[in-house]
Amino acid sequence: MTASPLKPARLAVRDLLRVGAIGLRIRRLRAFLSALGIAIGIAAMVAVVGISASSGAQLDRQLATLGTNLLTVGPGNTIFGKQASLPDEAPDMIKRIGPVQKVASTGRVETKVYRSDKIPAVQTGGLAARAASLTLPDTVGAKLRSGTWLNAATARYPAVVLGAKAAQQLGITSVNEGRQIWLGMQWFTVVGILEPVQLAPELDTSALIGWDVAKERLGFDGHPSTVYTRTDDDAVLDVAAVLAATANPAAPNEVRVSRPSDALAARQATDDAFTGLLLGLGAVALLVGGVGVANTMVISVLERRAEIGLRRSLGATRGHVRTQFLTESLLLAALGGAGGVLLGVAVTGGYAITQQWPPTVPAWAWAGGILATVVIGGIAGLYPAIRAARLSPTEALATA
């Protein structure tokens, strides 16, 4: 009766993890520095994705608040390349479009805005004077920081509401009784200050006055320069298609129609492109970390030849040695990956809180980070593990 050949022993998972962690325990500083390289790369990638996602979540929140159903109509250019103008009746004609909910307009007034009559004429500060309809705040979603908006009475008199940046530039922080600015070579009383208007940023640098007083005192021609339109959410594209012909039936090609929310979306697209660049840098950092792990494992094999030779002499197979060093590499990378994910999440949360954004880290970001570390750990440890397994007991003990 022939004896059956002995099968090589197999390491249990618990024993494998214990053996694989030996190198990490006895060379803690080196293991820490190698894991740190992995952690920096993973943290960079998670933080970049998280900050970008948090920014996108904030944009979605803003658009949900401000609405994406705002359309603006303005004059384009004539066929000769000159600046066109909108008809006086454009706002009233736009109101007749069925899905249109609200309409407001502003008109550029050719005059300068100063803090006082003592300011040199050349120091305009880029501020613009605009005639505004009474429905403007409700249409564009503008809110008052201080004071009141124009009404049927104040719109006929020299009263002005300042945009947020205009007020800051003029040094006016609140509406005090009798506070005035020099506009159109005459004094206008400040009755209100607006908060920044996200979907109509041109209002931030404007001094807004009544339509009637602009025509009577400042020579305003009455042509609107911008018409703001709120429509039903499901009819935005249909309304946009007919706005030009409605605002100026005689020359629809001289009308410019835009959707302010698209500018915010374009800004987010730019941020996404920048995020892609940063992700590339994070990948480079991750690659450098992987090289560090490979270097650590190669040196570990060279330094532990005596251990390898002793284990082989006591019956460890090539597979046991190979698995041991591969497990050690995976553990080293996994520790770095876990630390990197935690660091990336912390950086994302801290930055989002300072910016008053909702902290957002997509699940695929941290899951992908962990998966990347496993792949890198496996690749980085494969060659050292194979090299360790190829050492014969006598060779390992002789060169130790």
Side-chain angles (χ1 to χ4, degrees):
M1 191 173 182
T2 59
S4 59
L6 295 176
K7 295 182 179 180
R10 293 185 178 182
L11 288 174
V13 175
R14 180 179 178 181
D15 295 330
L16 183 60
L17 293 176
R18 183 183 303 169
V19 171
I22 291 176
L24 305 184
R25 292 199 301 268
I26 62 178
R27 296 171 178 81
R28 295 182 180 180
L29 181 58
R30 183 185 298 170
F32 170 77
L33 293 177
S34 298
L36 182 62
I38 292 287
I40 291 174
I42 293 297
M45 297 180 69
V46 172
V48 166
V49 173
I51 291 174
S52 177
S54 299
S55 175
Q58 175 65 15
L59 176 63
D60 293 339
R61 177 184 290 182
Q62 285 181 341
L63 292 179
T65 302
L66 301 173
T68 57
N69 61 342
L70 178 66
L71 297 170
T72 63
V73 178
N77 295 323
T78 66
I79 58 175
F80 301 105
K82 296 182 178 180
Q83 180 71 35
S85 61
L86 294 176
D88 297 358
E89 304 81 8
D92 292 330
M93 292 189 291
I94 291 175
K95 288 179 184 178
R96 298 175 184 175
I97 301 176
V100 170
Q101 301 172 352
K102 303 170 185 176
V103 176
S105 56
T106 61
R108 185 69 179 261
V109 181
E110 297 300 327
T111 189
K112 305 300 182 183
V113 181
Y114 303 96
R115 183 174 182 177
S116 73
D117 57 347
K118 307 300 182 182
I119 304 297
V122 294
Q123 297 182 9
T124 62
L127 302 182
R130 301 179 190 270
S133 60
L134 301 183
T135 57
L136 182 63
D138 190 37
T139 303
V140 300
K143 296 181 180 180
L144 285 161
R145 176 183 298 171
S146 178
T148 60
W149 177 247
L150 302 171
N151 55 42
T154 56
R156 301 178 62 87
Y157 295 94
V160 60
V161 175
L162 299 175
K165 292 182 179 179
Q168 181 181 8
Q169 191 165 326
L170 293 172
I172 301 175
T173 58
S174 63
V175 176
N176 298 322
E177 186 175 354
R179 190 65 183 266
Q180 294 182 317
I181 63 171
W182 188 246
L183 192 157
M185 304 301 291
Q186 54 191 295
W187 292 105
F188 273 68
T189 301
V190 179
V191 297
I193 299 174
L194 295 176
E195 294 281 3
V197 185
Q198 294 289 336
L199 293 183
E202 65 275 6
L203 300 180
D204 294 342
T205 56
S206 299
L208 303 165
I209 60 178
W211 208 271
D212 294 333
V213 71
K215 294 172 68 174
E216 294 172 3
R217 299 198 179 197
L218 302 177
F220 176 50
D221 59 10
H223 291 289
S225 56
T226 305
V227 181
Y228 303 94
T229 304
R230 288 280 185 183
T231 69
D232 295 340
D233 291 332
D234 57 353
V236 173
L237 297 180
D238 294 333
V239 172
V242 300
L243 270 179
T246 305
N248 191 355
N253 58 302
E254 298 179 0
V255 179
R256 174 178 47 82
V257 178
S258 61
R259 189 175 180 181
S261 58
D262 289 344
L264 295 179
R267 185 183 67 186
Q268 180 63 30
T270 302
D271 292 342
D272 290 342
F274 187 64
T275 297
L277 173 62
L278 294 180
L279 279 176
L281 296 177
V284 172
L286 191 59
L287 178 61
V288 172
V291 173
V293 172
N295 182 60
T296 297
M297 295 307 302
V298 170
I299 295 176
S300 180
V301 170
L302 295 176
E303 291 180 344
R304 295 162 63 187
R305 288 191 172 193
E307 175 193 337
I308 296 171
L310 182 60
R311 291 197 63 214
R312 290 296 309 278
S313 300
L314 295 176
T317 65
R318 292 177 182 270
H320 290 161
V321 175
R322 182 170 55 248
T323 306
Q324 172 189 349
F325 280 88
L326 186 59
T327 301
E328 183 176 329
S329 177
L330 290 173
L331 286 175
L332 182 60
L335 289 174
V341 168
L342 293 177
L343 180 59
V345 170
V347 170
T348 299
Y351 185 81
I353 290 173
T354 59
Q355 298 295 318
Q356 297 182 342
W357 295 347
T360 304
V361 179
W364 65 265
W366 57 263
I370 297 296
L371 179 62
T373 59
V374 172
V375 173
I376 288 176
I379 295 175
L382 188 59
Y383 170 73
I386 294 175
R387 182 173 180 176
R390 287 178 177 174
L391 290 175
S392 64
T394 55
E395 178 187 0
L397 291 173
T399 58

